[in-house]
Amino acid sequence: PLWDAGLSIGHQVVTPGEMIDLARSDLPTATSLLDWRLIAGESSGTEKMLSRVYNGVFGSDQVRKFLRQLEMRAAERSERYGGSVYLLEPDVKNGIGGLRDLDIMYWVARARWRAPDLTELVKVGILVPREHQKIEAAAALLWRVRNLLHAYAGRRSDRLSFERQEAFASDLGYGNGGLAVERFMSEYYRCAQVLVQGREMLLGRAAPPPKRRPRETLIGGGLKLTNGLVSLVDPADLEKDPALSLRLYDEAVRRNTSVYQFARDAVARIAGTAEFCERLRASPQAARLFVRLITVAQRTEFKEGSVLRELHDVGLLVAMLPEFTPVVGRVHHDVYHVYTVDVHSVKAVDRLRALCRGELAAEHPLASRLAAELPGRNVLFFATLLHDVGKDIGGKKHSERGAELAVEILGRLGFSDSDIGEVRDLVLNHLSMYLVATRRDIDDPKTLEAFCNTLHGAESLRELYLLTIADVSTTSPTALSSWKARMLEDLYVAAERYLSKGKEAAFHQRAEGVRHQVRQLCPERGEAEFLDHYLSAIPERYLYANQPDDIVRHSRFARQAQFQAVNITVMTRDDPYVELCFVADDRPGLLAMITATLAAARIKVVRAQIYSWTDTYRRVRALDLFWVRSGTSERGVMELLPRLERDFGRLMSHELTPVELVAGPRNARTSDRPTPEVPTEIQFDNRSSTDHSVIEIITRDQVGLLFWLSNTLQHCGLTISFAKINTEGTQVADVFYVTQAAGGKITDPRAIETIKQQLLSTIARTGQTP
């Protein structure tokens, strides 16, 4: 009848002896015996078998092997399911922090203590009531979510997709919309983390006592070494001396060892009590130890080498910083922010540690050098830890909220007024460098001047750069792409030059220096004559934006392409990114032709430079540079070059229009899988650029979007001089520097509103509903 009902039922026909023999080597059989329930029939046979099971499979000598098997299976499952609680679409059953971790807790309770459930562990003192209540509450939410998944699907379904997250937020009473989903998923992740910690805690407490007496050495201050690990002489001392909890970890770091499990459990238990936390925060010694532990650079013997993660796991981070509580488990309803706010903040500090140790010198040479030269770490490390502390759901901008909280926190920790001011400014402006680098023309004097005016000298620039690298690189594993890293480095170098030598040296003197370096690279007379004209005719901002050897390559290609209608070549490669150079007679709509060519080939554009200049034959020529990618390696773009040349040639000869070329894939999305909505925002900025209006468009990424936007701007009578494309998950920020056809910024409010409406209409037609 069960099979006929469509239920998946396994079966075995075995004798009790066969079952017990199999359980000794087969973990699923062993856990099935722990879940054994008599449905019907005579109970004496079951009682006899279970007595043999507990003595023969889970006896005092055998249970150690069983617990090791559970730990190994949990580690394998962690690797298989992404190694993190904080997956964007978690598996509620088998994912990390899923219901399988609850199963492990029940199996441990039954195998080690013969307890039928976790309530029994409270009675015998293995769990304190507070720990049990947290586990039960977490399990209740995950069961509700899994039941809803099955009800919606009409079958077994365990993946909590974006689509289901939005539905369940409403069903479970969190409300509707993106903020409601964030509240729901934040609660889900907190509960999943409780189950992970519960599983680790019970496995640790279940380990049978060692057969040999541990080696112990008193080291003073209420501490001792137990088998080489730092432990507590008497856990009761934590009540009288709360700072002992931090001395425990400080001593472990100093001795380059870890903390004994018994002492760790004692700290984790007491850190959850309000009275202990209040007394801990009131201790000047605790404040000094906490600051030292946050700013230590060495790799430690804790999980992932991170003492900060350990402090967070046992509850001491929140005990010292209660302002951190609202961001524990705080999640963004998008596909860009992979980690919760608290985990991201911890990872960002750990990234700084790695930079200081020089472990990332190959990946981030400039940041590693600057980190190694830091005169002090307190300001930067605490700015990094607190940069997102203001991200409680709702309210004012998180940077402003975070800056206010940082002042309160650092005052309590005994920081000087000057250090508090520096941290406050870094938290307040922690997004500024990233936004300028990825959304503005950093070679525009006005942009650089405005950015440098927000800084307080070279030290402020260095700290902001390092904070930005640590922040972006830990937003998600792929957030800091090579081109973003290059943009940030270019901005740092330009700003450092501006601060140390002034505006004239940063731009005009630099341009002359670039021209001199380029000429030195081209000794041949014929080539040098063309190069001299090229350097005088090309806009000066081109010289700021490109390296001398790149300029030489561009010049050579422009010279070779003087009498060819279609000119496309690969200039540089930075796998998976490729720099494509287009040279052609400039004409209205040329940018739309180029972006249509790229869109039809499904090539992703990440950055663009657009220049017009008059060649030696008095023709107006265009030299347009695009940094692109296709697939996961540069080979994808190289294989598409013949197609690009063919399609661009057909457009240049008017064989077809850009719209006709792109019309095929115009409605294709970057992903067929439902993902969170991205609200569309369009901003006009007439202050950031010297000569251009800046149009910033934030919307959902779509295949061919860059073409449709540039095509719309062309039909609005605008000339595009520069473009930056910044993709964050499924959100894209496309920025265009434009002028009116006759030159000058767009200042008429009615014209601005008309352009906005045209762009909104275009975005709606390409698949995005604003």
Side-chain angles (χ1 to χ4, degrees):
L2 293 171
W3 283 329
D4 291 344
L7 298 175
S8 177
I9 301 296
H11 70 283
Q12 285 178 290
V13 180
V14 291
T15 67
E18 291 169 339
M19 192 78 161
I20 292 168
D21 288 341
L22 186 59
R24 290 191 178 100
S25 58
D26 182 61
L27 185 62
T29 302
T31 57
S32 294
L33 288 171
L34 290 171
D35 287 333
W36 187 280
R37 286 177 296 169
L38 177 68
I39 302 295
E42 176 58 48
S43 63
S44 60
T46 287
E47 290 169 358
K48 283 182 183 179
M49 188 193 72
L50 289 181
S51 177
R52 291 175 60 190
V53 165
Y54 279 109
N55 290 324
V57 179
F58 306 115
S60 58
D61 292 330
Q62 294 84 5
V63 74
R64 194 186 305 271
K65 176 184 175 183
F66 173 72
L67 295 174
R68 279 200 305 268
Q69 287 180 309
L70 283 180
E71 284 186 293
M72 289 172 58
R73 189 60 59 88
E76 292 169 3
R77 183 165 53 89
S78 176
E79 186 174 343
R80 190 164 66 250
Y81 284 90
S84 173
V85 167
Y86 308 103
L87 299 183
L88 295 173
E89 296 179 304
D91 186 297
V92 177
K93 178 183 178 183
N94 291 302
I96 314 308
L99 290 168
R100 184 60 76 204
D101 284 320
L102 182 66
D103 291 337
I104 290 176
M105 284 187 264
Y106 282 119
W107 294 334
V108 171
R110 292 164 189 164
R112 177 69 174 86
W113 295 290
R114 311 292 192 264
D117 53 37
L118 301 184
T119 304
E120 193 68 25
L121 295 186
V122 178
K123 296 178 182 178
V124 297
I126 304 301
L127 287 175
V128 298
R130 184 184 69 256
E131 293 169 336
H132 178 249
Q133 290 163 8
K134 288 175 65 177
I135 292 170
E136 289 297 306
L141 177 65
L142 263 69
W143 275 119
R144 285 197 294 272
V145 170
R146 192 174 186 224
N147 290 340
L148 281 172
L149 284 170
H150 289 199
Y152 268 74
R155 56 180 175 80
R156 186 170 66 184
S157 175
D158 296 321
R159 185 169 66 87
L160 185 52
S161 66
F162 287 120
E163 187 177 22
R164 293 287 186 252
Q165 291 171 23
E166 293 171 0
F168 293 1
S170 175
D171 292 344
L172 294 172
Y174 293 89
N176 298 303
L179 286 178
V181 177
E182 291 180 2
R183 281 191 289 270
F184 162 54
M185 288 306 296
S186 294
E187 184 67 21
Y188 174 89
Y189 287 130
R190 281 192 287 268
C191 289
Q193 187 63 29
V194 166
L195 294 189
V196 170
Q197 291 172 341
R199 181 247 295 168
E200 293 177 344
M201 177 175 62
L202 276 187
L203 281 169
R205 294 176 186 177
K211 294 181 180 180
R212 294 182 179 180
R213 185 178 181 85
R215 303 185 317 276
E216 294 190 335
T217 306
L218 294 175
I219 56 178
L223 302 174
K224 64 182 179 180
L225 290 179
T226 302
N227 291 338
L229 304 177
V230 182
S231 187
L232 301 168
V233 173
D234 184 355
D237 291 342
L238 291 169
E239 291 279 1
K240 299 174 288 185
D241 181 14
L244 177 60
S245 60
L246 289 168
R247 285 207 305 276
L248 176 76
Y249 283 96
D250 185 63
E251 190 68 25
V253 171
R254 194 176 69 81
R255 292 177 178 268
N256 199 30
T257 186
S258 189
V259 169
Y260 196 59
Q261 183 66 42
F262 170 76
R264 184 182 191 272
D265 283 350
V267 171
R269 282 185 172 185
I270 200 168
T273 62
E275 183 183 357
F276 169 84
C277 294
E278 289 176 9
R279 290 168 53 224
L280 181 70
R281 290 192 293 274
S283 166
Q285 184 189 36
R288 290 193 299 272
L289 289 167
F290 182 71
V291 171
R292 191 156 72 200
L293 286 168
I294 296 301
T295 56
V296 66
Q298 75 185 69
R299 174 173 285 276
T300 62
E301 291 301 309
F302 299 102
K303 189 178 294 183
E304 296 185 4
S306 171
V307 67
L308 179 55
R309 173 176 170 170
E310 173 70 7
L311 294 178
H312 189 24
D313 286 348
V314 298
L316 288 176
L317 176 59
V318 170
M320 288 296 295
L321 306 182
E323 297 88 349
F324 218 70
T325 303
V327 300
V328 174
R330 169 77 164 90
V331 65
H332 298 271
H333 188 47
D334 59 36
V335 300
Y336 181 62
H337 295 84
V338 171
Y339 306 109
T340 55
V341 174
D342 56 321
V343 171
H344 160 66
S345 300
V346 170
K347 284 182 175 291
V349 174
D350 286 337
R351 182 58 54 92
L352 269 185
R353 299 186 204 279
L355 288 170
C356 290
R357 293 193 299 265
E359 294 176 357
L360 303 176
E363 184 180 354
H364 301 294
L366 175 61
S368 296
R369 176 175 64 80
L370 294 176
E373 296 171 354
L374 276 176
R377 291 192 289 265
N378 287 11
V379 165
L380 180 56
F381 274 57
F382 270 88
T384 304
L385 177 63
L386 302 176
H387 75 279
D388 278 346
V389 73
K391 276 190 173 177
D392 46 353
I393 296 175
K396 64 175 68 175
K397 291 181 179 180
H398 82 272
S399 298
E400 297 173 5
R401 170 78 174 141
E404 294 173 359
L405 290 173
V407 171
E408 298 175 20
I409 291 168
L410 299 182
R412 191 171 66 239
L413 292 175
F415 276 60
S416 67
D417 289 344
S418 61
D419 284 353
I420 291 174
E422 287 185 51
V423 174
R424 180 196 60 223
D425 289 346
L426 284 169
V427 172
L428 184 63
N429 298 308
H430 74 271
L431 293 174
S432 63
M433 193 168 196
Y434 175 75
L435 293 177
V436 171
T438 59
R439 300 188 186 181
R440 291 295 180 266
D441 178 8
I442 63 175
D443 300 304
D444 185 322
K446 194 167 185 179
T447 298
L448 192 60
E449 182 177 12
F451 172 68
C452 289
N453 285 341
T454 66
L455 304 171
H456 304 295
E459 188 63 28
S460 172
L461 171 64
R462 173 163 59 181
E463 290 173 340
L464 181 58
Y465 173 69
L466 289 171
L467 170 55
T468 305
I469 292 293
D471 180 17
V472 179
S473 64
T474 54
T475 299
S476 76
T478 58
L480 186 59
S481 61
S482 58
W483 85 267
K484 285 184 184 178
R486 178 179 171 182
M487 292 299 98
L488 287 168
E489 184 171 326
D490 287 349
L491 177 55
Y492 174 84
V493 171
E496 195 277 333
R497 184 186 296 112
Y498 183 98
L499 291 171
S500 61
K501 299 182 179 179
K503 182 175 180 179
E504 182 70 19
F507 289 102
H508 303 300
Q509 290 179 15
R510 180 185 167 201
E512 284 305 312
V514 171
R515 289 188 180 101
H516 176 73
Q517 292 179 60
V518 170
R519 291 188 181 102
Q520 293 295 107
L521 295 172
C522 289
E524 296 181 16
R525 181 177 177 183
E527 186 176 24
E529 289 176 1
F530 180 87
L531 180 65
D532 280 339
H533 177 82
Y534 178 78
L535 292 175
S536 63
I538 202 82
E540 191 170 83
R541 61 169 305 281
Y542 165 84
L543 302 175
Y544 310 145
N546 295 278
Q547 297 298 315
D549 52 349
D550 291 328
I551 293 173
V552 171
R553 281 193 288 268
H554 298 160
S555 170
R556 286 172 176 163
F557 181 57
R559 184 180 177 221
Q560 295 166 5
Q562 288 182 94
F563 304 106
Q564 297 173 348
V566 176
N567 305 280
I568 308 173
T569 193
V570 171
M571 282 295 168
T572 57
R573 304 178 192 179
D574 184 10
D575 200 17
Y577 301 99
V578 170
E579 179 192 354
L580 291 178
C581 181
F582 290 75
V583 173
D585 287 337
D586 202 4
R587 65 177 73 174
L590 179 64
L591 180 61
M593 293 182 190
I594 296 174
T595 54
T597 301
L598 297 171
R602 294 177 176 264
I603 289 178
K604 178 81 175 169
V605 179
V606 297
R607 180 178 168 227
Q609 292 181 23
I610 301 154
Y611 303 104
S612 293
W613 58 292
T614 303
D615 70 5
T616 54
Y617 297 93
R618 300 183 183 278
R619 296 174 303 177
V620 179
R621 301 281 278 173
L623 183 138
D624 293 348
L625 305 170
F626 293 82
W627 282 258
V628 303
R629 65 176 296 175
S630 177
T632 58
S633 71
E634 63 184 41
R635 190 191 318 175
V637 176
M638 304 303 294
E639 292 173 348
L640 288 168
L641 270 179
R643 174 178 177 174
L644 297 179
E645 292 175 347
R646 183 189 71 236
D647 288 348
F648 188 46
R650 294 171 70 196
L651 293 175
M652 292 289 287
S653 63
H654 302 291
E655 184 179 333
L656 77 170
T657 67
V659 172
E660 290 170 339
L661 180 62
V662 180
R666 66 173 290 186
N667 293 319
R669 289 178 175 248
T670 55
S671 172
D672 295 326
R673 186 166 58 90
T675 54
E677 287 298 316
V678 177
T680 295
E681 301 176 30
I682 299 177
Q683 300 290 336
F684 263 73
D685 178 1
N686 277 320
R687 295 171 300 175
S688 296
S689 174
T690 307
D691 304 311
H692 297 79
S693 292
V694 181
I695 304 177
E696 182 174 309
I697 304 165
I698 299 174
T699 189
R700 183 191 180 98
D701 194 14
Q702 302 288 335
V703 173
L705 178 66
L706 180 59
F707 159 70
W708 293 109
L709 294 178
S710 59
N711 189 57
T712 299
L713 293 174
Q714 176 209 332
H715 283 292
C716 290
L718 304 180
T719 300
I720 302 172
S721 301
F722 180 77
K724 271 194 172 178
I725 295 85
N726 182 30
T727 304
E728 299 175 349
T730 56
Q731 173 182 289
V732 66
D734 284 359
V735 179
F736 299 91
Y737 278 61
V738 302
T739 60
Q740 301 178 82
K745 299 180 180 182
I746 304 98
T747 56
D748 184 350
R750 290 173 299 178
I752 290 173
E753 186 59 31
T754 298
I755 295 167
K756 281 187 177 181
Q757 292 305 316
Q758 290 288 333
L759 290 169
L760 288 170
S761 177
T762 295
I763 293 168
R765 289 198 305 272
T766 59
Q768 167 73 28
T769 303

